[in-house]
Amino acid sequence: MKFLAVLLLAICGASFAAKLSASQRTVLTPSFLNKYRSAPAKPSPRNANITEEFFTTEVDHFNNQDLATWSNRYLSLMDHFVEGGPVLIFLSGDTPLDPSMIDDGTLINEMARDMGGAVFALETRFYGESQPVGDLTVESLRLLNTDQILADVADFVVHVRRTVVDNPFAHPLVTGTGLGGGLATWFRVRYPHLVDATWSSSGFIRAVYDFQEFSSGWAETAIEVGSNECYNRIFITFHVAQNLIDAGFGDVLYEKLNLCSPIDSEDRIAVSYFFSVLMTSIELYTLRNGNVDEFRIVCDDISNDDFGTSLEAFANWFNQQFAADDGCVIINFDQFVETLKQTSATTEFGQTGERQVLYQQCTEYGWFITTDSDLQPFGERVQMELYHEMCRRVFGDWITPQLMFRSTMRMNERFGGDTPNVMQIHFTNGAFDPWRRASILGDLNAYALTDVIPGELAGADLRAISEETDSTELVEVKRRLKELLESYLFPFNPR
């Protein structure tokens, strides 16, 4: 069996392996954003009372000459709701809806139980089953932008107040993680009259054109949780690989890494894509479950003294994870591009949001992981040139480096970057999470505080309090979250 290692820059997508077709081969998808997030909990009987619902909103909120509407999907849990209780809304961001977002095992559910609140999870337009126009063509994706998404959330708050809880003055809380945490923050900036409290858990808030800080942040965690030896082995591996390609010995990598075809050393983009796959594979594997022990396990494998060289040790680990069953790894950039050119919303890639997220990265957010920092072990070959070419070939020549750079600048200018003018909001991040470099790590004011949780990756605060498994620091953060957010929702009449 052959495997296609695809550097997808998407933030959502729950499956680790997806099928292209019966005649194609399995696709490994180390996604840029979504597959670095903590995996959602498996469905359980606790989700029995969570219902799937739809509400009607406009396809284009900013064109009064077009009154077309569509049905936006959401999940609802009313078990804890009492009259006068708050409305707690989880924004799924780039991830298709899953009941585990608001089930009994979550902190938002625990908050609802304590405050008598109704809990909802809202799916973002163009993701999962929330498809405003039914396809993912470039023309349709022009309706996929932050302003349109926030207008959907605004309509949803009004819908829940008027139709679901029958209280136009119900107190809303909006939260999310990753892109969802960014959207929750931007909603507080743009629609402060529709939200009384906001919680951003490991939110992507600052748009970053060249996200070189990600790999340096990853390296810090690898050293602290793993070892200096682990960092050095990875450093040596990537630099040896660069030297082999430059000297015309790329066949060594072709054989040791079980590649399906040799690396074209004359093609700068092909070489850059190859290194991006290697870099993404190890970053993905250590971050995929939100468990810092993954770093230790990977570092132990790569630091194994049973192998004569660092490259051999890395190749052994890489092949065990990505080339099982005597398969090979396809690193074909052209095939990668063709996969992301698919415009059907009903394919598995359309459902998981790979094309959609890349579009938003190219036109708004950036967050492109490069090796431009000197404080990381992955060499120097993954630069913005790769992502310029990727965006252009997938979506068209209208996407230029200037447009991509200006788009991230515009996002930060409009929403405040990492210094938004907001109150009654709380920011949480894991101290070991590389994504914290795109978030807010310091208090903005007395009503916009932050917690950086020691020893944790992304989203550790999303689960309900557990005295058995949570660290002392994590329990304290969760309790503070509950107290602060309740005080924001009911400042004059504590429940």
Side-chain angles (χ1 to χ4, degrees):
M1 174 181 285
K2 295 184 177 182
F3 289 86
L4 170 62
V6 184
L7 177 69
L8 293 180
L9 304 188
I11 350 189
C12 43
S15 62
F16 181 75
K19 302 266 182 179
L20 285 179
S21 71
S23 62
Q24 290 277 16
R25 62 270 305 173
T26 301
V27 179
L28 294 184
T29 57
S31 294
F32 175 53
L33 299 181
N34 52 0
K35 294 185 180 65
Y36 287 123
R37 312 307 303 171
S38 301
K42 294 180 180 179
S44 71
R46 299 178 306 191
N47 302 335
N49 294 328
I50 297 175
T51 60
E52 180 184 77
E53 311 285 350
F54 292 85
F55 83 101
T56 300
T57 187
E58 293 175 273
V59 172
D60 186 349
H61 293 278
F62 307 103
N63 182 1
N64 290 332
Q65 297 179 0
D66 183 358
L67 301 180
T69 60
W70 66 289
S71 295
N72 200 156
R73 184 169 68 139
Y74 68 95
L75 300 178
S76 174
L77 179 64
M78 303 294 292
D79 286 5
H80 310 306
F81 183 70
V82 297
E83 186 176 355
V87 170
L88 311 181
I89 302 170
F90 186 93
L91 303 182
S92 68
D94 55 313
T95 306
L97 283 183
D98 189 283
S100 64
M101 293 174 176
I102 58 173
D103 71 10
D104 286 355
T106 61
L107 191 63
I108 192 173
N109 189 300
E110 189 173 306
M111 291 178 184
R113 185 171 62 248
D114 293 347
M115 293 186 283
V119 190
F120 305 93
L122 178 64
E123 193 166 58
T124 305
R125 60 167 53 207
F126 285 96
Y127 291 92
E129 296 182 22
S130 295
Q131 300 295 329
V133 293
D135 63 64
L136 304 176
T137 63
V138 171
E139 186 60 34
S140 296
L141 289 177
R142 295 186 191 280
L143 294 167
L144 175 59
N145 59 63
T146 301
D147 287 326
Q148 296 283 1
I149 296 169
L150 297 182
D152 290 339
V153 180
D155 277 4
F156 182 65
V157 171
V158 174
H159 165 76
V160 168
R161 280 174 155 180
R162 292 178 178 174
T163 307
V164 181
V165 302
D166 194 24
N167 178 5
F169 304 106
H171 299 278
L173 176 148
V174 176
T175 184
T177 187
L179 178 58
L183 292 170
T185 303
W186 301 326
F187 188 71
R188 180 67 181 156
V189 172
R190 186 58 52 86
Y191 297 93
H193 60 292
L194 290 178
V195 56
D196 292 326
T198 301
W199 163 29
S200 173
S201 173
S202 302
F204 307 157
I205 296 170
R206 177 174 63 95
V208 186
Y209 174 66
D210 179 349
F211 197 14
Q212 56 186 275
E213 302 100 324
F214 181 91
S215 290
S216 60
W218 183 93
E220 290 175 2
T221 301
I223 291 172
E224 187 162 352
V225 177
S227 65
N228 281 306
E229 176 65 15
C230 175
Y231 179 95
N232 292 338
R233 286 289 187 98
I234 297 170
F235 182 95
I236 293 170
T237 296
F238 276 76
H239 285 77
V240 166
Q242 288 182 172
N243 293 337
L244 286 171
I245 291 176
D246 291 345
F249 295 106
D251 284 350
V252 175
L253 301 173
Y254 164 66
E255 295 174 359
K256 287 188 178 296
L257 297 174
N258 236 347
L259 306 181
C260 294
S261 58
I263 304 161
D264 184 356
S265 61
E266 300 299 319
D267 187 335
R268 286 169 53 88
I269 297 299
V271 171
S272 181
Y273 181 65
F274 163 72
F275 281 103
S276 73
V277 169
L278 288 193
M279 176 178 69
T280 304
S281 70
I282 188 168
E283 290 176 338
L284 159 70
Y285 208 83
T286 51
L287 297 173
R288 60 190 180 131
N289 292 322
N291 184 349
V292 294
D293 288 338
E294 297 278 3
F295 277 86
R296 190 173 297 109
I297 294 170
V298 170
C299 280
D300 287 346
D301 289 342
I302 292 176
S303 302
N304 193 328
D305 291 332
D306 292 342
F307 299 93
T309 67
S310 297
L311 177 59
E312 289 174 344
F314 180 88
N316 178 70
W317 172 83
F318 181 82
N319 292 330
Q320 285 182 347
Q321 312 308 329
F322 300 104
D325 302 324
D326 297 323
C328 62
V329 178
I330 300 177
I331 53 166
N332 188 304
F333 183 68
D334 292 335
Q335 189 166 346
F336 160 77
V337 168
E338 288 305 312
T339 300
L340 286 183
K341 280 186 174 181
Q342 298 178 24
T343 60
S344 172
T346 59
T347 64
E348 189 160 3
F349 277 101
Q351 288 289 298
T352 56
E354 311 293 356
R355 176 176 167 85
Q356 299 92 304
V357 175
L358 179 59
Y359 178 83
Q360 289 193 274
Q361 287 182 261
C362 298
T363 58
E364 290 191 289
Y365 305 139
W367 298 324
F368 295 110
I369 296 177
T370 69
T371 54
D372 289 340
S373 170
D374 294 330
L375 305 177
Q376 49 79 30
F378 302 113
E380 301 88 26
R381 298 300 169 85
V382 185
Q383 301 176 344
M384 286 303 300
E385 179 185 22
L386 170 66
Y387 304 113
H388 298 154
E389 185 67 8
M390 189 180 298
C391 293
R392 183 189 68 81
R393 288 184 54 179
V394 172
F395 300 112
D397 292 341
W398 61 276
I399 293 189
T400 63
Q402 293 76 18
L403 179 144
M404 293 167 65
F405 175 76
R406 180 55 191 158
S407 294
T408 58
M409 296 292 291
R410 184 173 63 246
M411 273 295 301
N412 292 328
E413 289 165 356
R414 296 174 65 195
F415 291 100
D418 55 7
T419 56
N421 185 14
V422 287
M423 300 178 70
Q424 296 185 202
I425 187 170
H426 198 75
F427 304 96
T428 55
N429 283 280
F432 283 162
D433 180 20
W435 284 107
R436 71 189 185 278
R437 304 298 183 86
S439 190
I440 294 174
L441 305 177
D443 298 346
L444 299 178
N445 56 64
Y447 297 96
L449 305 177
T450 60
D451 273 303
V452 180
I453 311 168
E456 300 291 349
L457 291 172
D461 51 325
L462 293 175
R463 308 308 296 171
I465 295 175
S466 172
E467 300 286 355
E468 292 76 24
T469 59
D470 289 348
S471 66
T472 301
E473 294 88 351
L474 183 55
V475 170
E476 290 175 354
V477 167
K478 290 179 179 180
R479 288 176 176 166
R480 181 160 51 250
L481 263 170
K482 293 173 65 176
E483 181 179 348
L484 274 173
L485 294 174
E486 183 172 358
S487 72
Y488 294 158
L489 287 168
F490 302 102
F492 306 112
N493 182 27
R495 299 180 67 80

